[in-house]
Amino acid sequence: MADTSRRTLQLLSLFAARRRWSLGELAARLEVSDRTARRDVETLRRLGYPVTTVRGPAGGYELGAGHPLPPLLFDDEQALAVAVALQTASTSVLGLGDDAARAADTLKQVVPPALRSTMDTLRLTTLRNYWEFPGAPIAPSALRAVGSAVRHRHVLAFDALRADGTRPDPHDADFAPPRRLEPHHLVVWAGRWYLVGYDLADDTWRVHRVDRLHVHTPTATRFAPRAVPGGDVAQLVMTTHDRGDTVSTWECVGTARINLPAETVARWAPGGSVVEHLDTDHSRLTIGAWSWAGVAGILTTFDADLSELEPPELVAAGRRLVQRWGRVSDR
């Protein structure tokens, strides 16, 4: 009986996430036979939930409209996912720490004790240091404005900010009039938020760092959707080299081609570095450090073949490190 009740709650959770499921999908999610899944659906019907049978090749079961689902119905895995998401939200969006904590407390008040215990299982300490935080968090207002424009397909007007977050004045040499962009996708990659859109001034696809945008009042001017070049948004972000990333100010800045995919390098590259996608197995990393030996040492941590190192000072530092390690005694 306990297993049946547990599966009934899990069924409700599945229908809360998606209204229509095939019998095979339900059986697989519940880890039971098709026959048992049918009986569980019948149990929901006896409880008053309007689950209808959908005929045909794409058929299955569908929860009808007009019957509210129990609020905040989570299974253990969903509760753990919410706990992790809330605890890591403040690492990419500025000022969400207190709000995320309050949201977690609110959820704990309305979920059953067992799920409350699950949410308390994982307590994260989020480190925001040079090695583990590749991008600065963005303002919630900017995220809401850009996200709303993407969802409603409204043309976005914005000013480009400098790398330090300041906005050029009209008398500054780098001042430019507001840009108008069709915002198509909001992408998170390597800890940074990017806006992918079609620039109306030069009829070109652009990738912008969201934290480098000063968004103007929404235009409410609608646009028709376009297909991104190549049909792959992630590929477009990774292969666009002028997406707004800049290397942090260091005494020494070097670059190298690494025999690793960009997504792997971006995952572990220090903050303030720039990762460029070259092909499926190679990328280019531009990083800075207080010395050329420091740059060479960071490149070595990826434990992959390197080529096309620049500038010559970096190559010389690498050779010195090889000689130094060659003199290391077995003692």
Side-chain angles (χ1 to χ4, degrees):
M1 184 63 183
D3 285 343
T4 301
S5 299
R6 177 183 58 80
R7 291 199 309 273
T8 301
L9 290 174
Q10 191 173 354
L11 256 181
L12 283 174
S13 177
L14 292 173
F15 280 122
R18 200 175 82 200
R19 290 278 170 173
R20 178 180 294 187
W21 294 84
S22 69
L23 177 62
E25 289 175 325
L26 290 178
R29 289 298 190 99
L30 298 174
E31 298 181 350
V32 296
S33 65
D34 287 359
R35 182 180 179 183
T36 300
R38 288 193 190 95
R39 287 204 302 263
D40 291 339
V41 170
E42 289 301 322
T43 299
L44 281 187
R45 287 170 172 165
R46 287 195 299 271
L47 292 173
Y49 289 94
V51 181
T52 59
T53 300
V54 181
R55 307 295 180 183
Y61 294 102
E62 184 176 74
L63 183 65
H67 197 296
L69 288 170
L72 300 175
L73 185 67
F74 295 141
D75 56 28
D76 286 0
E77 289 74 17
Q78 289 174 318
L80 191 61
V82 170
V84 171
L86 288 174
Q87 291 185 65
T88 57
S90 59
T91 62
S92 62
V93 182
L94 188 65
L96 282 191
D98 292 340
D99 296 328
R102 289 191 299 107
D105 290 339
T106 300
L107 284 173
K108 290 176 186 177
Q109 302 305 314
V110 295
V111 297
L115 294 187
R116 191 178 308 128
S117 176
T118 299
M119 294 180 68
D120 285 332
T121 298
L122 191 61
R123 287 290 183 180
L124 302 180
T125 299
T126 303
L127 302 179
R128 294 170 55 178
N129 58 33
Y130 176 78
W131 287 97
E132 298 183 10
F133 193 64
I138 65 176
S141 57
L143 186 59
R144 284 194 297 267
V146 173
S148 177
V150 172
R151 179 177 180 180
H152 297 292
R153 293 177 183 165
H154 287 169
V155 172
L156 195 68
F158 63 88
D159 295 324
L161 302 177
R162 299 188 179 102
D164 60 3
T166 59
R167 183 182 176 190
D169 292 324
H171 61 272
D172 294 335
D174 56 349
F175 174 79
R179 309 285 299 185
R180 288 174 60 85
L181 186 89
E182 294 179 353
H184 286 264
H185 300 278
L186 189 58
V187 180
V188 180
W189 183 60
R192 294 172 177 147
W193 292 79
Y194 296 97
L195 172 64
V196 178
Y198 190 80
D199 194 301
L200 297 176
D202 51 14
D203 296 327
T204 303
W205 283 92
R206 300 285 185 185
V207 178
H208 295 278
R209 284 265 299 270
V210 177
D211 61 316
R212 302 281 172 80
L213 304 181
H214 173 79
V215 181
H216 290 248
T217 303
T219 65
T221 303
R222 294 186 59 84
F223 62 87
R226 302 175 189 261
V228 299
D232 190 335
V233 178
Q235 188 81 353
L236 178 62
V237 172
M238 290 190 299
T239 55
T240 300
H241 297 165
D242 59 346
R243 56 182 176 252
D245 295 333
T246 54
V247 183
S248 299
T249 302
W250 289 99
E251 294 183 32
C252 302
V253 176
T255 182
R257 176 188 173 102
I258 303 181
N259 288 16
L260 286 173
E263 53 267 30
T264 300
V265 176
R267 172 66 181 84
W268 302 107
S273 59
V274 174
V275 180
E276 301 176 16
H277 170 91
L278 299 180
D279 55 46
T280 55
D281 299 314
H282 301 86
S283 57
R284 190 181 311 281
L285 176 62
T286 302
I287 54 174
W290 64 275
S291 69
W292 291 114
V295 176
I298 296 173
L299 291 172
T300 304
T301 62
F302 288 92
D303 194 22
D305 289 339
L306 305 172
S307 61
E308 302 177 15
L309 275 70
E310 294 288 346
E313 290 85 349
L314 175 58
V315 178
R319 290 171 177 164
R320 287 196 301 273
L321 288 175
V322 171
Q323 295 171 358
R324 193 169 296 156
W325 279 104
R327 294 193 295 267
V328 174
S329 170
D330 289 340
R331 292 177 298 176

